[in-house]
Amino acid sequence: MLEPQTLTSSTPGALRHLTLFTGSSAGRDPRYAAAARDLASTLADRGVGVVYGGGKVGLMGEVADAALASGGDVLGVMPQALVDGEIAHPGLTRLEVVADMHERKLRMSELGDGFVALPGGAGTLEELFEVWTWQQLGIHAKPVALYDVDGFWQPLLRMVDHMVSEGFLAATYRESLVVADSPQGLLDVLGTWRAPAAKWSR
């Protein structure tokens, strides 16, 4: 069971580490890998560390390699079963090995001052929606963002807008979800972001 009180709020504008969610596959279009590398190297250049799932494969590996190559701090969090499967990145600043996926997500939430979803699959969506839900419930007060490479997230955003129009999601939470298509644009918005009021505190 995840313990909400263990998730701390970040100070607005204070980005020491960003937690990145992305695919263990690289996708079909090489622009996804290029954009992942661009974001990771920009974060390193700005002194922002990367927290991610610890893998050496797919866009996860691209993120880690690019940040490390630029002198960045890269923290990986991976369950023991995946380490045993030999997909852990061997050159990280630090790799934390945890018991299971639940502990992994909690630890990644603790380590990051914000969350960014890059292109990915079901696992990326699951991580994204969990931290976004936690934000709405007031479990944390950290920004959640979509790195919208070549409009990758636009179909999802249309679904989110449909949730708003049908009364299942308050517009304020749609507005709290950061969407950016460049590293600089992303960091500019994250630096001034303010948390919405928690859903049940109104």
Side-chain angles (χ1 to χ4, degrees):
M1 179 72 176
L2 298 181
E3 297 294 336
Q5 62 267 28
T6 64
L7 300 183
T8 57
S9 300
S10 62
T11 302
L15 295 176
R16 299 171 299 275
H17 290 86
L18 280 177
T19 295
L20 305 185
F21 305 132
T22 193
S24 57
S25 298
R28 291 178 175 161
D29 192 325
R31 286 177 289 188
Y32 296 136
R37 292 191 297 268
D38 189 22
L39 175 60
S41 61
T42 299
L43 293 178
D45 291 343
R46 293 278 293 268
V48 179
V50 169
V51 177
Y52 85 120
K56 64 182 180 181
V57 295
L59 294 189
M60 295 174 71
E62 298 283 356
V63 162
D65 289 343
L68 291 166
S70 295
D73 188 38
V74 184
L75 310 179
V77 184
M78 181 172 282
Q80 184 66 59
L82 295 182
V83 175
D84 293 343
E86 299 183 350
I87 65 168
H89 195 293
L92 303 179
T93 307
R94 184 169 86 245
L95 176 66
E96 293 193 16
V97 181
V98 296
D100 53 37
M101 294 294 285
H102 295 291
E103 188 177 346
R104 180 197 216 180
K105 290 185 293 180
L106 178 59
R107 187 61 179 143
M108 290 171 70
S109 298
E110 293 171 334
L111 290 169
D113 299 304
F115 310 95
V116 182
L118 287 74
T124 300
L125 283 175
E126 191 258 351
E127 291 167 326
L128 165 68
F129 276 103
E130 184 160 60
V131 295
W132 192 31
T133 300
W134 288 353
Q135 180 198 90
Q136 294 170 34
L137 295 175
I139 293 172
H140 69 74
K142 303 176 183 182
V144 177
L146 299 175
Y147 185 40
D148 193 28
V149 180
D150 270 356
F152 179 85
W153 291 115
Q154 291 304 308
L156 177 67
L157 289 169
R158 287 194 290 274
M159 184 66 224
V160 170
D161 288 338
H162 183 59
M163 293 174 186
V164 174
S165 67
E166 293 300 313
F168 290 102
L169 178 71
T172 187
Y173 300 127
R174 167 64 177 88
E175 294 163 3
S176 78
L177 184 63
V178 175
V179 182
D181 60 7
S182 70
Q184 187 59 55
L186 176 68
L187 289 170
D188 287 347
V189 177
L190 293 182
T192 59
W193 184 88
R194 294 295 183 272
K199 184 174 183 179
W200 303 115
S201 66
R202 297 167 186 247

